[in-house]
Amino acid sequence: MPQQFVDLVRGPRLAQSGCVPGAGLRDAPSSSLRQVAPPWHGDAESQAVDLDLLRRYDRPGPRYTSYPTAVEFHEGVDAGRYATHLAAAAAKPDAPLSLYVHLPFCESRCAFCGCSVVVTRKRQVAEQYLEYLFREIGMVAEALGRRRQVVQYHWGGGTPSYLSPDQMRALHQEVGRHFAIDPAGELALEVDPRVTSSEQIETLSALGFNRLSLGVQDFDPDVQQAIHRIQGVEATRALVAHARALGFASINVDLIYGLPRQDVDSFGRTVETVIDMRPDRVAAYSFAHVPWIRAHQKLLNVEELPSADRKLQLFVAARARFLAAGYRPIGMDHFALPDDDLARAAEAGTLHRNFMGYTTRPAPDMVGFGVSAIGDVAGAFVQNTRKLSAYYQAIDAGRLPVQRGYVLDEDDVVRRHVVTQLICNLQLDTRATARRFAIEFDTYFAIERRELTEGPIAHGFLRDEGGVLRVTPTGRLFVRNICMIFDRHLREKRGDAPVFSRTV
């Protein structure tokens, strides 16, 4: 790539063989060489961004799994307030629910991790945790009355496959005792290929789980050593093959770019290895380096982290490979095969996003169970305590284990719609938004309109098509920045100490 410019639409030019010349793919398996990118993946123009402009947009910003973000949560929203919102949700008994269960345990801590985890090899802690988790599930189910239909059901962590097959069955049966899980819905969980057995995958399949998300991050041994996560290619490949044979409808692989010691060649080899496994979905996340929040990230050597320029090159090169392999770009950092539900929803403009990520089965409310779990119920976010001891103490007292949250006001509701449309479907119908919320869009968002015109529109990241704001192919990489313009809370915090990871 030229030093001065980065081609954000096409990335490195693709040869007819499907390889990127000089990108270290000489040893890539022949089965990984796919057709060139289909014409729908972006506009015909090739847009380049000056690196000075890139640096201007590279600043701390949210990922927008919610609006407002969790930074706005406060302890004024407690168990009593949560009960009030559960009662409001119960008043709509026929509306579907999303349900998230947090299983926090890991055998070891990866140095890059930003999740809320409990690191222990003492397996008995999981048994005690499940006992309290079951009690919380019962308390929330009672508060929801007859509202029990679940269309999105997710186990996250931590490492959900920390549980034994018997514990998995017990947890699923307990959830099923209180809620009606739609077998045609999204039943998903995260697994760590390093510690997940064939018996566990078979158990999950028998329980009805149909979507599997595998953490990979990077297959390069040098990178793995730097992040304290050693994971073999063949074990991961075997797990994918076994899940396929069991009939899992969709398999996702998580990658992270921006990790220590990554370069375009090595990460390109990881991407080609993943493509050869042919997962239905891939998430390529920007590494969130937030050592002021996750102290264990201080174990990473900051001198080994790629620069912002190189980090963007990592993603551009990976994106070019996924598109050439037939994957469609979804939202800001996901890719899916054309026949996957995620790709179909993106094409139809019906994607939704919550704390579980992008989803094709949106529900008006989401309940979360377990330590640190977040719920989104009847206009309020609630988050459980992060400490096991406080979680157990609250449940022993017969109290929902809520530590903090946030109640949306009318302005939040409008802006939440705007941010969700942009980050999920990469466009916003301003006229429909004005009708929906009874506002005059250009007056309500006068400040934002000016910033959009002088920034993302002027720089080719966003187009104003007379009633529709549409994110360009280049703008996909900066959609977080576009959403940040509409973030009232972020505007009020300008000048404060950094809270978020950088957008690039």
Side-chain angles (χ1 to χ4, degrees):
M1 289 185 188
Q3 269 194 327
Q4 187 177 4
F5 294 97
V6 180
D7 187 331
L8 296 181
V9 175
R10 294 178 181 147
R13 295 300 186 265
L14 297 176
Q16 288 183 348
S17 68
C19 290
V20 178
L25 299 180
R26 290 183 296 274
D27 300 324
S30 59
S31 60
S32 70
L33 305 181
R34 312 295 181 187
Q35 72 274 16
V36 296
W40 51 260
H41 83 274
D43 291 350
E45 77 270 18
S46 177
Q47 301 185 42
V49 174
D50 189 300
L51 291 183
D52 288 336
L53 182 60
L54 165 63
R55 295 181 187 106
R56 173 178 170 180
Y57 278 86
D58 179 28
R59 64 188 187 90
R63 294 180 186 271
Y64 291 114
T65 50
S66 71
Y67 182 87
T69 67
V71 170
E72 305 307 323
F73 292 7
H74 57 84
E75 295 185 358
V77 176
D78 57 11
R81 192 61 184 263
Y82 184 26
T84 300
H85 285 267
L86 286 172
K92 302 176 180 178
D94 297 326
L97 289 167
S98 292
L99 194 154
Y100 174 76
V101 180
H102 191 70
L103 302 166
F105 303 108
C106 290
E107 289 188 356
S108 61
R109 187 187 298 277
C110 303
F112 65 87
C113 182
C115 300
S116 180
V117 302
V118 176
V119 178
T120 178
R121 293 181 180 272
K122 299 177 180 179
R123 294 285 170 166
Q124 63 269 25
V125 300
E127 196 64 38
Q128 181 184 21
Y129 180 73
L130 288 178
E131 292 176 6
Y132 281 88
L133 185 64
F134 294 174
R135 291 163 64 183
E136 184 196 1
I137 291 170
M139 292 165 66
V140 172
E142 183 178 3
L144 285 169
R146 294 187 296 111
R147 185 161 176 195
R148 304 297 178 91
Q149 185 67 27
V150 173
V151 295
Q152 186 190 24
Y153 173 46
H154 186 93
W155 291 1
T159 307
S161 49
Y162 188 94
L163 300 183
S164 70
D166 284 344
Q167 289 171 329
M168 289 177 170
R169 281 188 285 266
L171 172 56
H172 184 69
Q173 288 168 3
E174 185 67 18
V175 173
R177 191 166 72 86
H178 293 285
F179 294 93
I181 303 169
D182 183 354
E186 293 182 0
L187 281 69
L189 85 159
E190 304 161 9
V191 298
D192 182 346
R194 300 173 302 167
V195 298
T196 303
S197 68
S198 296
E199 183 184 3
Q200 287 173 312
I201 295 298
E202 291 159 7
T203 299
L204 293 165
S205 175
L207 293 176
F209 282 87
N210 52 33
R211 302 190 186 281
L212 208 59
S213 183
L214 284 70
V216 168
Q217 325 320 338
D218 195 312
F219 279 128
D220 184 82
D222 204 28
V223 175
Q224 290 186 356
Q225 184 182 45
I227 63 175
H228 303 179
R229 182 187 174 96
I230 307 302
Q231 178 174 332
V233 172
E234 292 311 312
T236 306
R237 193 188 304 276
L239 184 60
V240 170
H242 192 47
R244 285 267 185 245
L246 290 170
F248 278 84
S250 185
I251 295 175
N252 174 82
V253 166
D254 285 345
L255 300 176
I256 295 179
Y257 66 95
L259 293 172
R261 305 182 189 175
Q262 280 181 333
D263 59 41
V264 174
D265 288 4
S266 67
F267 194 54
R269 288 190 290 271
T270 287
V271 169
E272 285 296 321
T273 301
V274 169
I275 288 172
D276 191 53
M277 296 179 189
R278 210 61 176 168
D280 304 273
R281 305 175 182 179
V282 179
Y285 294 113
S286 169
F287 172 48
H289 187 228
V290 287
W292 57 89
I293 297 175
R294 302 299 184 193
H296 61 273
Q297 289 189 355
K298 294 177 182 177
L299 296 172
L300 300 175
N301 184 349
V302 294
E303 294 181 358
E304 294 180 337
L305 293 171
S307 66
D309 300 352
R310 178 57 58 82
K311 189 176 178 183
L312 186 65
Q313 290 175 5
L314 289 170
F315 181 75
V316 169
R319 181 180 186 275
R321 286 173 169 87
F322 285 123
L323 297 181
Y327 286 84
R328 297 189 178 183
I330 308 296
M332 58 180 172
D333 47 20
H334 286 56
F335 303 87
L337 293 174
D339 58 353
D340 187 85
D341 287 349
L342 207 61
R344 291 173 177 169
E347 191 169 350
T350 58
L351 269 183
H352 185 67
R353 187 169 173 82
N354 57 28
F355 287 100
M356 294 183 272
Y358 288 112
T359 177
T360 63
R361 296 295 300 273
D365 297 300
M366 182 181 82
V367 291
F369 299 115
V371 288
S372 80
I374 297 176
D376 178 0
V377 180
F381 296 119
V382 291
Q383 183 172 25
N384 284 348
T385 178
R386 293 188 176 94
K387 293 184 177 180
L388 280 177
S389 57
Y391 179 74
Y392 296 157
Q393 184 179 19
I395 292 173
D396 280 337
R399 185 177 70 251
L400 292 167
V402 173
Q403 179 181 1
R404 60 181 193 148
Y406 181 88
V407 178
L408 281 71
D409 61 27
E410 291 183 5
D411 180 69
D412 291 325
V413 174
V414 177
R415 293 175 185 272
R416 177 180 185 173
H417 171 78
V418 169
V419 168
T420 299
Q421 289 301 307
L422 287 169
I423 210 153
C424 289
N425 300 309
L426 302 170
Q427 63 182 33
L428 174 70
D429 187 326
T430 59
R431 291 167 297 192
T433 301
R435 290 192 298 270
R436 176 171 180 165
F437 297 104
I439 61 173
E440 208 294 312
F441 189 91
D442 287 349
T443 301
Y444 195 94
F445 291 112
I447 296 173
E448 291 80 1
R449 269 293 201 181
R450 184 172 64 253
E451 290 190 20
L452 291 172
T453 300
E454 296 172 354
I457 292 175
H459 299 140
F461 299 163
L462 190 70
R463 283 199 300 265
D464 187 346
E465 299 180 350
V468 176
L469 296 175
R470 197 179 307 278
V471 180
T472 67
T474 307
R476 285 176 180 268
L477 301 183
F478 300 95
V479 69
R480 288 168 67 184
N481 298 82
I482 295 170
C483 291
M484 286 160 63
I485 291 175
F486 290 96
D487 190 332
R488 181 192 87 212
H489 301 279
L490 192 64
R491 185 184 303 278
E492 293 169 353
K493 283 182 167 57
R494 286 181 180 174
D496 288 0
V499 176
F500 303 104
S501 63
R502 303 190 76 84
T503 57
V504 177

